[in-house]
Amino acid sequence: RKEVEQDPGPFNVPEGATVAFNCTYSNSASQSFFWYRQDCRKEPKLLMSVYSSGNEDGRFTAQLNRASQYISLLIRDSKLSDSATYLCVVRRYNTDKLIFGTGTRLQVFP
Amino acid sequence: EAQVTQNPRYLITVTGKKLTVTCSQNMNHEYMSWYRQDPGLGLRQIYYSMNVEVTDKGDVPEGYKVSRKEKRNFPLILESPSPNQTSLYFCASSLTGMGNSPLHFGNGTRLTVT
């Protein structure tokens, strides 16, 4: 079993839709959590960190559920420009080790 | 502009011909790392460095070398490239390697070894 697992998708949604992705992690000693966005053949870019209390950045909301060991990303009012692969990233407690999920692909259509 | 710069963007080479991919960051970051990305496998760490003169193996270090003689530079060296090293490579840096310090990535090097 992979340490960080994501549904690869693709998630095909119309503009304006709300879409949510989950990411599960197996190591309970995981400390820090991030969502990265990666466009085709480009470098990953930090979308947002995920805090224990949940956090929001515009149309994007990230949540952490430590009891069930998953994080989620909610995108409201999807735009065509949101089409990308979303990578879940987990850092183990008190280490420099970052574990990347293989990503969830989102395709927003007109 | 704060950035991580890696070169070249594209490289086609033959088996056994030594090559170096350069990586430089201008953010005074302590932590630097190299990843390779392959379809279905996600990003896998090759080597990382917590600071100058400190390097450690990641998950897939075989066939690669790195050095960290200066804080800003972290080159990736393939002494004798093989076709299974054909991949998309990313260099990344962060302020520290711990806590909520996020990674900043270079724009990638697509390597083909024939």
mmCIF file with all atom_site columns, all heavy atoms in Angstrom, chain A residues 65-88:
data_model
loop_
_atom_site.group_PDB
_atom_site.id
_atom_site.type_symbol
_atom_site.label_atom_id
_atom_site.label_alt_id
_atom_site.label_comp_id
_atom_site.label_asym_id
_atom_site.label_entity_id
_atom_site.label_seq_id
_atom_site.pdbx_PDB_ins_code
_atom_site.Cartn_x
_atom_site.Cartn_y
_atom_site.Cartn_z
_atom_site.occupancy
_atom_site.B_iso_or_equiv
_atom_site.pdbx_formal_charge
_atom_site.auth_seq_id
_atom_site.auth_comp_id
_atom_site.auth_asym_id
_atom_site.auth_atom_id
_atom_site.pdbx_PDB_model_num
ATOM 1   N N   . ASN A 1 65 ? -8.270  15.554 8.359   1.00 0.00 ? 65 ASN A N   1
ATOM 2   C CA  . ASN A 1 65 ? -8.941  14.676 9.313   1.00 0.00 ? 65 ASN A CA  1
ATOM 3   C C   . ASN A 1 65 ? -7.906  13.683 9.819   1.00 0.00 ? 65 ASN A C   1
ATOM 4   O O   . ASN A 1 65 ? -7.612  12.678 9.170   1.00 0.00 ? 65 ASN A O   1
ATOM 5   C CB  . ASN A 1 65 ? -10.107 13.948 8.637   1.00 0.00 ? 65 ASN A CB  1
ATOM 6   C CG  . ASN A 1 65 ? -10.920 13.128 9.615   1.00 0.00 ? 65 ASN A CG  1
ATOM 7   O OD1 . ASN A 1 65 ? -10.378 12.434 10.464  1.00 0.00 ? 65 ASN A OD1 1
ATOM 8   N ND2 . ASN A 1 65 ? -12.234 13.205 9.499   1.00 0.00 ? 65 ASN A ND2 1
ATOM 9   N N   . ARG A 1 66 ? -7.340  13.990 10.985  1.00 0.00 ? 66 ARG A N   1
ATOM 10  C CA  . ARG A 1 66 ? -6.262  13.139 11.523  1.00 0.00 ? 66 ARG A CA  1
ATOM 11  C C   . ARG A 1 66 ? -6.799  11.780 11.973  1.00 0.00 ? 66 ARG A C   1
ATOM 12  O O   . ARG A 1 66 ? -6.120  10.776 11.866  1.00 0.00 ? 66 ARG A O   1
ATOM 13  C CB  . ARG A 1 66 ? -5.571  13.835 12.688  1.00 0.00 ? 66 ARG A CB  1
ATOM 14  C CG  . ARG A 1 66 ? -4.623  14.937 12.264  1.00 0.00 ? 66 ARG A CG  1
ATOM 15  C CD  . ARG A 1 66 ? -3.708  15.330 13.398  1.00 0.00 ? 66 ARG A CD  1
ATOM 16  N NE  . ARG A 1 66 ? -2.863  16.465 13.044  1.00 0.00 ? 66 ARG A NE  1
ATOM 17  C CZ  . ARG A 1 66 ? -1.686  16.338 12.440  1.00 0.00 ? 66 ARG A CZ  1
ATOM 18  N NH1 . ARG A 1 66 ? -1.220  15.154 12.121  1.00 0.00 ? 66 ARG A NH1 1
ATOM 19  N NH2 . ARG A 1 66 ? -0.964  17.400 12.151  1.00 0.00 ? 66 ARG A NH2 1
ATOM 20  N N   . ALA A 1 67 ? -8.003  11.765 12.472  1.00 0.00 ? 67 ALA A N   1
ATOM 21  C CA  . ALA A 1 67 ? -8.554  10.492 12.983  1.00 0.00 ? 67 ALA A CA  1
ATOM 22  C C   . ALA A 1 67 ? -8.680  9.476  11.854  1.00 0.00 ? 67 ALA A C   1
ATOM 23  O O   . ALA A 1 67 ? -8.363  8.292  12.021  1.00 0.00 ? 67 ALA A O   1
ATOM 24  C CB  . ALA A 1 67 ? -9.908  10.745 13.630  1.00 0.00 ? 67 ALA A CB  1
ATOM 25  N N   . SER A 1 68 ? -9.134  9.937  10.695  1.00 0.00 ? 68 SER A N   1
ATOM 26  C CA  . SER A 1 68 ? -9.307  9.044  9.557   1.00 0.00 ? 68 SER A CA  1
ATOM 27  C C   . SER A 1 68 ? -8.133  9.102  8.586   1.00 0.00 ? 68 SER A C   1
ATOM 28  O O   . SER A 1 68 ? -8.135  8.402  7.574   1.00 0.00 ? 68 SER A O   1
ATOM 29  C CB  . SER A 1 68 ? -10.601 9.386  8.808   1.00 0.00 ? 68 SER A CB  1
ATOM 30  O OG  . SER A 1 68 ? -11.710 9.272  9.668   1.00 0.00 ? 68 SER A OG  1
ATOM 31  N N   . GLN A 1 69 ? -7.181  9.952  8.896   1.00 0.00 ? 69 GLN A N   1
ATOM 32  C CA  . GLN A 1 69 ? -5.944  10.058 8.108   1.00 0.00 ? 69 GLN A CA  1
ATOM 33  C C   . GLN A 1 69 ? -6.210  10.380 6.646   1.00 0.00 ? 69 GLN A C   1
ATOM 34  O O   . GLN A 1 69 ? -5.807  9.653  5.728   1.00 0.00 ? 69 GLN A O   1
ATOM 35  C CB  . GLN A 1 69 ? -5.090  8.785  8.264   1.00 0.00 ? 69 GLN A CB  1
ATOM 36  C CG  . GLN A 1 69 ? -4.554  8.635  9.676   1.00 0.00 ? 69 GLN A CG  1
ATOM 37  C CD  . GLN A 1 69 ? -3.611  7.463  9.875   1.00 0.00 ? 69 GLN A CD  1
ATOM 38  O OE1 . GLN A 1 69 ? -3.382  7.042  11.003  1.00 0.00 ? 69 GLN A OE1 1
ATOM 39  N NE2 . GLN A 1 69 ? -3.055  6.922  8.822   1.00 0.00 ? 69 GLN A NE2 1
ATOM 40  N N   . TYR A 1 70 ? -6.910  11.496 6.442   1.00 0.00 ? 70 TYR A N   1
ATOM 41  C CA  . TYR A 1 70 ? -7.032  11.973 5.076   1.00 0.00 ? 70 TYR A CA  1
ATOM 42  C C   . TYR A 1 70 ? -7.071  13.495 5.074   1.00 0.00 ? 70 TYR A C   1
ATOM 43  O O   . TYR A 1 70 ? -7.389  14.142 6.067   1.00 0.00 ? 70 TYR A O   1
ATOM 44  C CB  . TYR A 1 70 ? -8.267  11.392 4.376   1.00 0.00 ? 70 TYR A CB  1
ATOM 45  C CG  . TYR A 1 70 ? -9.595  11.941 4.810   1.00 0.00 ? 70 TYR A CG  1
ATOM 46  C CD1 . TYR A 1 70 ? -10.120 13.094 4.222   1.00 0.00 ? 70 TYR A CD1 1
ATOM 47  C CD2 . TYR A 1 70 ? -10.351 11.287 5.773   1.00 0.00 ? 70 TYR A CD2 1
ATOM 48  C CE1 . TYR A 1 70 ? -11.354 13.593 4.610   1.00 0.00 ? 70 TYR A CE1 1
ATOM 49  C CE2 . TYR A 1 70 ? -11.589 11.767 6.159   1.00 0.00 ? 70 TYR A CE2 1
ATOM 50  C CZ  . TYR A 1 70 ? -12.090 12.918 5.579   1.00 0.00 ? 70 TYR A CZ  1
ATOM 51  O OH  . TYR A 1 70 ? -13.306 13.404 5.966   1.00 0.00 ? 70 TYR A OH  1
ATOM 52  N N   . ILE A 1 71 ? -6.712  14.046 3.928   1.00 0.00 ? 71 ILE A N   1
ATOM 53  C CA  . ILE A 1 71 ? -6.888  15.464 3.696   1.00 0.00 ? 71 ILE A CA  1
ATOM 54  C C   . ILE A 1 71 ? -7.766  15.627 2.466   1.00 0.00 ? 71 ILE A C   1
ATOM 55  O O   . ILE A 1 71 ? -7.866  14.705 1.646   1.00 0.00 ? 71 ILE A O   1
ATOM 56  C CB  . ILE A 1 71 ? -5.548  16.228 3.523   1.00 0.00 ? 71 ILE A CB  1
ATOM 57  C CG1 . ILE A 1 71 ? -4.818  15.800 2.255   1.00 0.00 ? 71 ILE A CG1 1
ATOM 58  C CG2 . ILE A 1 71 ? -4.653  16.029 4.727   1.00 0.00 ? 71 ILE A CG2 1
ATOM 59  C CD1 . ILE A 1 71 ? -3.604  16.663 1.945   1.00 0.00 ? 71 ILE A CD1 1
ATOM 60  N N   . SER A 1 72 ? -8.399  16.768 2.381   1.00 0.00 ? 72 SER A N   1
ATOM 61  C CA  . SER A 1 72 ? -9.296  17.005 1.264   1.00 0.00 ? 72 SER A CA  1
ATOM 62  C C   . SER A 1 72 ? -9.042  18.381 0.679   1.00 0.00 ? 72 SER A C   1
ATOM 63  O O   . SER A 1 72 ? -8.513  19.284 1.348   1.00 0.00 ? 72 SER A O   1
ATOM 64  C CB  . SER A 1 72 ? -10.753 16.869 1.698   1.00 0.00 ? 72 SER A CB  1
ATOM 65  O OG  . SER A 1 72 ? -11.072 17.862 2.655   1.00 0.00 ? 72 SER A OG  1
ATOM 66  N N   . LEU A 1 73 ? -9.427  18.524 -0.572  1.00 0.00 ? 73 LEU A N   1
ATOM 67  C CA  . LEU A 1 73 ? -9.366  19.807 -1.263  1.00 0.00 ? 73 LEU A CA  1
ATOM 68  C C   . LEU A 1 73 ? -10.708 20.023 -1.945  1.00 0.00 ? 73 LEU A C   1
ATOM 69  O O   . LEU A 1 73 ? -11.147 19.168 -2.726  1.00 0.00 ? 73 LEU A O   1
ATOM 70  C CB  . LEU A 1 73 ? -8.241  19.826 -2.300  1.00 0.00 ? 73 LEU A CB  1
ATOM 71  C CG  . LEU A 1 73 ? -8.110  21.102 -3.131  1.00 0.00 ? 73 LEU A CG  1
ATOM 72  C CD1 . LEU A 1 73 ? -7.675  22.275 -2.251  1.00 0.00 ? 73 LEU A CD1 1
ATOM 73  C CD2 . LEU A 1 73 ? -7.126  20.911 -4.278  1.00 0.00 ? 73 LEU A CD2 1
ATOM 74  N N   . LEU A 1 74 ? -11.331 21.147 -1.646  1.00 0.00 ? 74 LEU A N   1
ATOM 75  C CA  . LEU A 1 74 ? -12.612 21.494 -2.247  1.00 0.00 ? 74 LEU A CA  1
ATOM 76  C C   . LEU A 1 74 ? -12.401 22.708 -3.130  1.00 0.00 ? 74 LEU A C   1
ATOM 77  O O   . LEU A 1 74 ? -11.807 23.705 -2.696  1.00 0.00 ? 74 LEU A O   1
ATOM 78  C CB  . LEU A 1 74 ? -13.631 21.811 -1.151  1.00 0.00 ? 74 LEU A CB  1
ATOM 79  C CG  . LEU A 1 74 ? -15.031 22.198 -1.607  1.00 0.00 ? 74 LEU A CG  1
ATOM 80  C CD1 . LEU A 1 74 ? -15.814 20.948 -1.949  1.00 0.00 ? 74 LEU A CD1 1
ATOM 81  C CD2 . LEU A 1 74 ? -15.767 22.991 -0.530  1.00 0.00 ? 74 LEU A CD2 1
ATOM 82  N N   . ILE A 1 75 ? -12.867 22.625 -4.345  1.00 0.00 ? 75 ILE A N   1
ATOM 83  C CA  . ILE A 1 75 ? -12.792 23.759 -5.270  1.00 0.00 ? 75 ILE A CA  1
ATOM 84  C C   . ILE A 1 75 ? -14.216 24.172 -5.621  1.00 0.00 ? 75 ILE A C   1
ATOM 85  O O   . ILE A 1 75 ? -14.987 23.364 -6.154  1.00 0.00 ? 75 ILE A O   1
ATOM 86  C CB  . ILE A 1 75 ? -12.020 23.393 -6.559  1.00 0.00 ? 75 ILE A CB  1
ATOM 87  C CG1 . ILE A 1 75 ? -10.639 22.839 -6.222  1.00 0.00 ? 75 ILE A CG1 1
ATOM 88  C CG2 . ILE A 1 75 ? -11.903 24.617 -7.465  1.00 0.00 ? 75 ILE A CG2 1
ATOM 89  C CD1 . ILE A 1 75 ? -9.868  22.340 -7.447  1.00 0.00 ? 75 ILE A CD1 1
ATOM 90  N N   . ARG A 1 76 ? -14.541 25.410 -5.311  1.00 0.00 ? 76 ARG A N   1
ATOM 91  C CA  . ARG A 1 76 ? -15.875 25.931 -5.632  1.00 0.00 ? 76 ARG A CA  1
ATOM 92  C C   . ARG A 1 76 ? -15.812 26.732 -6.921  1.00 0.00 ? 76 ARG A C   1
ATOM 93  O O   . ARG A 1 76 ? -14.772 27.305 -7.280  1.00 0.00 ? 76 ARG A O   1
ATOM 94  C CB  . ARG A 1 76 ? -16.384 26.833 -4.506  1.00 0.00 ? 76 ARG A CB  1
ATOM 95  C CG  . ARG A 1 76 ? -16.775 26.103 -3.247  1.00 0.00 ? 76 ARG A CG  1
ATOM 96  C CD  . ARG A 1 76 ? -17.273 27.109 -2.192  1.00 0.00 ? 76 ARG A CD  1
ATOM 97  N NE  . ARG A 1 76 ? -16.222 28.046 -1.831  1.00 0.00 ? 76 ARG A NE  1
ATOM 98  C CZ  . ARG A 1 76 ? -15.272 27.792 -0.944  1.00 0.00 ? 76 ARG A CZ  1
ATOM 99  N NH1 . ARG A 1 76 ? -15.225 26.628 -0.334  1.00 0.00 ? 76 ARG A NH1 1
ATOM 100 N NH2 . ARG A 1 76 ? -14.360 28.692 -0.656  1.00 0.00 ? 76 ARG A NH2 1
ATOM 101 N N   . ASP A 1 77 ? -16.947 26.809 -7.611  1.00 0.00 ? 77 ASP A N   1
ATOM 102 C CA  . ASP A 1 77 ? -17.048 27.647 -8.819  1.00 0.00 ? 77 ASP A CA  1
ATOM 103 C C   . ASP A 1 77 ? -15.875 27.377 -9.765  1.00 0.00 ? 77 ASP A C   1
ATOM 104 O O   . ASP A 1 77 ? -15.102 28.291 -10.111 1.00 0.00 ? 77 ASP A O   1
ATOM 105 C CB  . ASP A 1 77 ? -17.092 29.124 -8.411  1.00 0.00 ? 77 ASP A CB  1
ATOM 106 C CG  . ASP A 1 77 ? -17.408 30.041 -9.570  1.00 0.00 ? 77 ASP A CG  1
ATOM 107 O OD1 . ASP A 1 77 ? -17.995 29.579 -10.568 1.00 0.00 ? 77 ASP A OD1 1
ATOM 108 O OD2 . ASP A 1 77 ? -17.036 31.239 -9.492  1.00 0.00 ? 77 ASP A OD2 1
ATOM 109 N N   . SER A 1 78 ? -15.720 26.148 -10.176 1.00 0.00 ? 78 SER A N   1
ATOM 110 C CA  . SER A 1 78 ? -14.570 25.733 -10.994 1.00 0.00 ? 78 SER A CA  1
ATOM 111 C C   . SER A 1 78 ? -14.418 26.595 -12.238 1.00 0.00 ? 78 SER A C   1
ATOM 112 O O   . SER A 1 78 ? -15.397 26.953 -12.908 1.00 0.00 ? 78 SER A O   1
ATOM 113 C CB  . SER A 1 78 ? -14.740 24.273 -11.430 1.00 0.00 ? 78 SER A CB  1
ATOM 114 O OG  . SER A 1 78 ? -14.771 23.421 -10.332 1.00 0.00 ? 78 SER A OG  1
ATOM 115 N N   . LYS A 1 79 ? -13.174 26.909 -12.557 1.00 0.00 ? 79 LYS A N   1
ATOM 116 C CA  . LYS A 1 79 ? -12.831 27.660 -13.763 1.00 0.00 ? 79 LYS A CA  1
ATOM 117 C C   . LYS A 1 79 ? -12.092 26.737 -14.730 1.00 0.00 ? 79 LYS A C   1
ATOM 118 O O   . LYS A 1 79 ? -11.459 25.758 -14.305 1.00 0.00 ? 79 LYS A O   1
ATOM 119 C CB  . LYS A 1 79 ? -11.911 28.842 -13.430 1.00 0.00 ? 79 LYS A CB  1
ATOM 120 C CG  . LYS A 1 79 ? -12.353 29.706 -12.265 1.00 0.00 ? 79 LYS A CG  1
ATOM 121 C CD  . LYS A 1 79 ? -13.547 30.526 -12.614 1.00 0.00 ? 79 LYS A CD  1
ATOM 122 C CE  . LYS A 1 79 ? -13.907 31.470 -11.466 1.00 0.00 ? 79 LYS A CE  1
ATOM 123 N NZ  . LYS A 1 79 ? -15.281 31.994 -11.633 1.00 0.00 ? 79 LYS A NZ  1
ATOM 124 N N   . LEU A 1 80 ? -12.123 27.099 -16.005 1.00 0.00 ? 80 LEU A N   1
ATOM 125 C CA  . LEU A 1 80 ? -11.353 26.326 -16.986 1.00 0.00 ? 80 LEU A CA  1
ATOM 126 C C   . LEU A 1 80 ? -9.888  26.260 -16.581 1.00 0.00 ? 80 LEU A C   1
ATOM 127 O O   . LEU A 1 80 ? -9.213  25.232 -16.761 1.00 0.00 ? 80 LEU A O   1
ATOM 128 C CB  . LEU A 1 80 ? -11.477 26.950 -18.376 1.00 0.00 ? 80 LEU A CB  1
ATOM 129 C CG  . LEU A 1 80 ? -12.859 26.936 -19.008 1.00 0.00 ? 80 LEU A CG  1
ATOM 130 C CD1 . LEU A 1 80 ? -12.840 27.697 -20.330 1.00 0.00 ? 80 LEU A CD1 1
ATOM 131 C CD2 . LEU A 1 80 ? -13.356 25.520 -19.219 1.00 0.00 ? 80 LEU A CD2 1
ATOM 132 N N   . SER A 1 81 ? -9.397  27.339 -16.008 1.00 0.00 ? 81 SER A N   1
ATOM 133 C CA  . SER A 1 81 ? -7.981  27.415 -15.626 1.00 0.00 ? 81 SER A CA  1
ATOM 134 C C   . SER A 1 81 ? -7.632  26.530 -14.427 1.00 0.00 ? 81 SER A C   1
ATOM 135 O O   . SER A 1 81 ? -6.455  26.387 -14.085 1.00 0.00 ? 81 SER A O   1
ATOM 136 C CB  . SER A 1 81 ? -7.599  28.858 -15.308 1.00 0.00 ? 81 SER A CB  1
ATOM 137 O OG  . SER A 1 81 ? -8.432  29.368 -14.275 1.00 0.00 ? 81 SER A OG  1
ATOM 138 N N   . ASP A 1 82 ? -8.642  25.941 -13.791 1.00 0.00 ? 82 ASP A N   1
ATOM 139 C CA  . ASP A 1 82 ? -8.357  25.014 -12.689 1.00 0.00 ? 82 ASP A CA  1
ATOM 140 C C   . ASP A 1 82 ? -7.951  23.638 -13.207 1.00 0.00 ? 82 ASP A C   1
ATOM 141 O O   . ASP A 1 82 ? -7.515  22.777 -12.424 1.00 0.00 ? 82 ASP A O   1
ATOM 142 C CB  . ASP A 1 82 ? -9.589  24.853 -11.790 1.00 0.00 ? 82 ASP A CB  1
ATOM 143 C CG  . ASP A 1 82 ? -9.942  26.119 -11.033 1.00 0.00 ? 82 ASP A CG  1
ATOM 144 O OD1 . ASP A 1 82 ? -9.030  26.935 -10.780 1.00 0.00 ? 82 ASP A OD1 1
ATOM 145 O OD2 . ASP A 1 82 ? -11.129 26.302 -10.713 1.00 0.00 ? 82 ASP A OD2 1
ATOM 146 N N   . SER A 1 83 ? -8.096  23.403 -14.503 1.00 0.00 ? 83 SER A N   1
ATOM 147 C CA  . SER A 1 83 ? -7.711  22.111 -15.079 1.00 0.00 ? 83 SER A CA  1
ATOM 148 C C   . SER A 1 83 ? -6.227  21.876 -14.855 1.00 0.00 ? 83 SER A C   1
ATOM 149 O O   . SER A 1 83 ? -5.385  22.676 -15.295 1.00 0.00 ? 83 SER A O   1
ATOM 150 C CB  . SER A 1 83 ? -8.020  22.078 -16.580 1.00 0.00 ? 83 SER A CB  1
ATOM 151 O OG  . SER A 1 83 ? -9.403  22.233 -16.801 1.00 0.00 ? 83 SER A OG  1
ATOM 152 N N   . ALA A 1 84 ? -5.919  20.800 -14.152 1.00 0.00 ? 84 ALA A N   1
ATOM 153 C CA  . ALA A 1 84 ? -4.534  20.507 -13.775 1.00 0.00 ? 84 ALA A CA  1
ATOM 154 C C   . ALA A 1 84 ? -4.533  19.197 -13.007 1.00 0.00 ? 84 ALA A C   1
ATOM 155 O O   . ALA A 1 84 ? -5.587  18.592 -12.778 1.00 0.00 ? 84 ALA A O   1
ATOM 156 C CB  . ALA A 1 84 ? -3.949  21.617 -12.898 1.00 0.00 ? 84 ALA A CB  1
ATOM 157 N N   . THR A 1 85 ? -3.357  18.781 -12.585 1.00 0.00 ? 85 THR A N   1
ATOM 158 C CA  . THR A 1 85 ? -3.235  17.643 -11.667 1.00 0.00 ? 85 THR A CA  1
ATOM 159 C C   . THR A 1 85 ? -2.934  18.187 -10.284 1.00 0.00 ? 85 THR A C   1
ATOM 160 O O   . THR A 1 85 ? -2.072  19.062 -10.132 1.00 0.00 ? 85 THR A O   1
ATOM 161 C CB  . THR A 1 85 ? -2.126  16.684 -12.130 1.00 0.00 ? 85 THR A CB  1
ATOM 162 O OG1 . THR A 1 85 ? -2.488  16.131 -13.388 1.00 0.00 ? 85 THR A OG1 1
ATOM 163 C CG2 . THR A 1 85 ? -1.929  15.548 -11.130 1.00 0.00 ? 85 THR A CG2 1
ATOM 164 N N   . TYR A 1 86 ? -3.641  17.672 -9.300  1.00 0.00 ? 86 TYR A N   1
ATOM 165 C CA  . TYR A 1 86 ? -3.478  18.146 -7.923  1.00 0.00 ? 86 TYR A CA  1
ATOM 166 C C   . TYR A 1 86 ? -2.756  17.071 -7.111  1.00 0.00 ? 86 TYR A C   1
ATOM 167 O O   . TYR A 1 86 ? -3.226  15.931 -7.013  1.00 0.00 ? 86 TYR A O   1
ATOM 168 C CB  . TYR A 1 86 ? -4.840  18.506 -7.326  1.00 0.00 ? 86 TYR A CB  1
ATOM 169 C CG  . TYR A 1 86 ? -5.405  19.736 -8.005  1.00 0.00 ? 86 TYR A CG  1
ATOM 170 C CD1 . TYR A 1 86 ? -6.099  19.634 -9.217  1.00 0.00 ? 86 TYR A CD1 1
ATOM 171 C CD2 . TYR A 1 86 ? -5.186  21.006 -7.481  1.00 0.00 ? 86 TYR A CD2 1
ATOM 172 C CE1 . TYR A 1 86 ? -6.572  20.765 -9.869  1.00 0.00 ? 86 TYR A CE1 1
ATOM 173 C CE2 . TYR A 1 86 ? -5.660  22.145 -8.117  1.00 0.00 ? 86 TYR A CE2 1
ATOM 174 C CZ  . TYR A 1 86 ? -6.348  22.005 -9.316  1.00 0.00 ? 86 TYR A CZ  1
ATOM 175 O OH  . TYR A 1 86 ? -6.802  23.138 -9.964  1.00 0.00 ? 86 TYR A OH  1
ATOM 176 N N   . LEU A 1 87 ? -1.625  17.462 -6.567  1.00 0.00 ? 87 LEU A N   1
ATOM 177 C CA  . LEU A 1 87 ? -0.769  16.529 -5.832  1.00 0.00 ? 87 LEU A CA  1
ATOM 178 C C   . LEU A 1 87 ? -0.939  16.723 -4.335  1.00 0.00 ? 87 LEU A C   1
ATOM 179 O O   . LEU A 1 87 ? -0.852  17.843 -3.828  1.00 0.00 ? 87 LEU A O   1
ATOM 180 C CB  . LEU A 1 87 ? 0.708   16.763 -6.181  1.00 0.00 ? 87 LEU A CB  1
ATOM 181 C CG  . LEU A 1 87 ? 1.108   16.679 -7.647  1.00 0.00 ? 87 LEU A CG  1
ATOM 182 C CD1 . LEU A 1 87 ? 2.580   17.046 -7.814  1.00 0.00 ? 87 LEU A CD1 1
ATOM 183 C CD2 . LEU A 1 87 ? 0.866   15.281 -8.184  1.00 0.00 ? 87 LEU A CD2 1
ATOM 184 N N   . CYS A 1 88 ? -1.149  15.642 -3.656  1.00 0.00 ? 88 CYS A N   1
ATOM 185 C CA  . CYS A 1 88 ? -1.210  15.635 -2.196  1.00 0.00 ? 88 CYS A CA  1
ATOM 186 C C   . CYS A 1 88 ? 0.197   15.336 -1.688  1.00 0.00 ? 88 CYS A C   1
ATOM 187 O O   . CYS A 1 88 ? 0.857   14.410 -2.184  1.00 0.00 ? 88 CYS A O   1
ATOM 188 C CB  . CYS A 1 88 ? -2.188  14.543 -1.782  1.00 0.00 ? 88 CYS A CB  1
ATOM 189 S SG  . CYS A 1 88 ? -2.209  14.135 -0.045  1.00 0.00 ? 88 CYS A SG  1
#
